[in-house]
Amino acid sequence: ERKRSVRAAMTDWSAMDTQNHHAILKMGVSIWNQWRASEPLTAPNLRDADLTGLELENVNFARANLRGADLTNAYLYDADFQQADLRGAILSRSMLVGANLCKANLSEAILEHAYLNQSDLSNANLTGACLQEADLQAALLMEATLVNARLASAEMSESEGLTMLQL
């Protein structure tokens, strides 16, 4: 039964509109990433989606609209958020170890207590983001914008590329 529904969904992907992207993600990371590979020009729309607590290791969210999405307590190890729109997203207590957030827009995002160890935040926009008590150990912050970001008690040892001009 499940194999039949997955197969039917896979053949229908090209006809799906953005409201159904959440349904594809619910089928699992493997199915989601297969769909992303088969539809490289589609920018997924998961705006305001409730993704709390999901295990999304290695998920491909590159160029996705995750504006206002709730990813609290999500497991996003090695996730690809390159050029994703995460404005106002909630990523509190999320596990983003090794995540690719290069050129992502995280302005006004909430990343309290998030684990961003060894993540690539190069050229990311973190304007007004809340990174209080976030773990940014060994994170790459080359040319990241951190204007008005709240960094109280954030762990930033061994982070690379951060200059006073970025703050």
Side-chain angles (χ1 to χ4, degrees), residues 66-89:
L66 290 152
R67 190 172 184 176
D70 190 346
L71 292 141
T72 302
N73 292 316
Y75 185 78
L76 298 155
Y77 186 82
D78 282 337
D80 185 356
F81 288 98
Q82 191 169 1
Q83 297 180 345
D85 183 354
L86 290 149
R87 288 177 286 173

Side-chain angles (χ1 to χ4, degrees), residues 124-146:
N125 181 359
L126 291 149
T127 301
C130 180
L131 291 149
Q132 289 178 208
E133 298 186 50
D135 189 340
L136 291 147
Q137 288 186 67
L140 186 57
L141 295 158
M142 198 86 60
E143 298 185 38
T145 303
L146 291 151

Side-chain angles (χ1 to χ4, degrees), residues 112-133:
E112 289 177 308
H113 300 278
Y115 295 92
L116 292 146
N117 318 56
Q118 302 170 9
S119 291
D120 185 352
L121 291 147
S122 300
N123 298 292
N125 181 359
L126 291 149
T127 301
C130 180
L131 291 149
Q132 289 178 208
E133 298 186 50

Side-chain angles (χ1 to χ4, degrees), residues 5-147:
S5 66
V6 169
R7 197 174 303 121
M10 289 174 94
T11 59
D12 258 350
W13 281 338
S14 60
M16 287 191 167
D17 61 325
T18 56
Q19 281 89 16
N20 294 317
H21 292 170
H22 191 251
I24 298 170
L25 184 59
K26 281 184 173 181
M27 292 181 194
V29 173
S30 177
I31 299 294
W32 174 266
N33 287 345
Q34 287 175 34
W35 171 69
R36 292 299 314 272
S38 71
E39 295 289 329
L41 300 178
T42 300
N45 185 358
L46 294 165
R47 185 177 181 149
D48 299 320
D50 183 0
L51 306 174
T52 55
L54 293 183
E55 291 190 24
L56 301 169
E57 183 175 352
N58 295 308
V59 70
N60 180 355
F61 281 146
R63 298 179 351 273
N65 179 356
L66 290 152
R67 190 172 184 176
D70 190 346
L71 292 141
T72 302
N73 292 316
Y75 185 78
L76 298 155
Y77 186 82
D78 282 337
D80 185 356
F81 288 98
Q82 191 169 1
Q83 297 180 345
D85 183 354
L86 290 149
R87 288 177 286 173
I90 304 167
L91 294 133
S92 297
R93 292 183 165 74
S94 290
M95 180 69 66
L96 292 146
V97 176
N100 180 358
L101 292 145
C102 186
K103 297 182 181 179
N105 188 345
L106 291 144
S107 60
E108 304 297 328
I110 300 169
L111 294 137
E112 289 177 308
H113 300 278
Y115 295 92
L116 292 146
N117 318 56
Q118 302 170 9
S119 291
D120 185 352
L121 291 147
S122 300
N123 298 292
N125 181 359
L126 291 149
T127 301
C130 180
L131 291 149
Q132 289 178 208
E133 298 186 50
D135 189 340
L136 291 147
Q137 288 186 67
L140 186 57
L141 295 158
M142 198 86 60
E143 298 185 38
T145 303
L146 291 151
V147 177

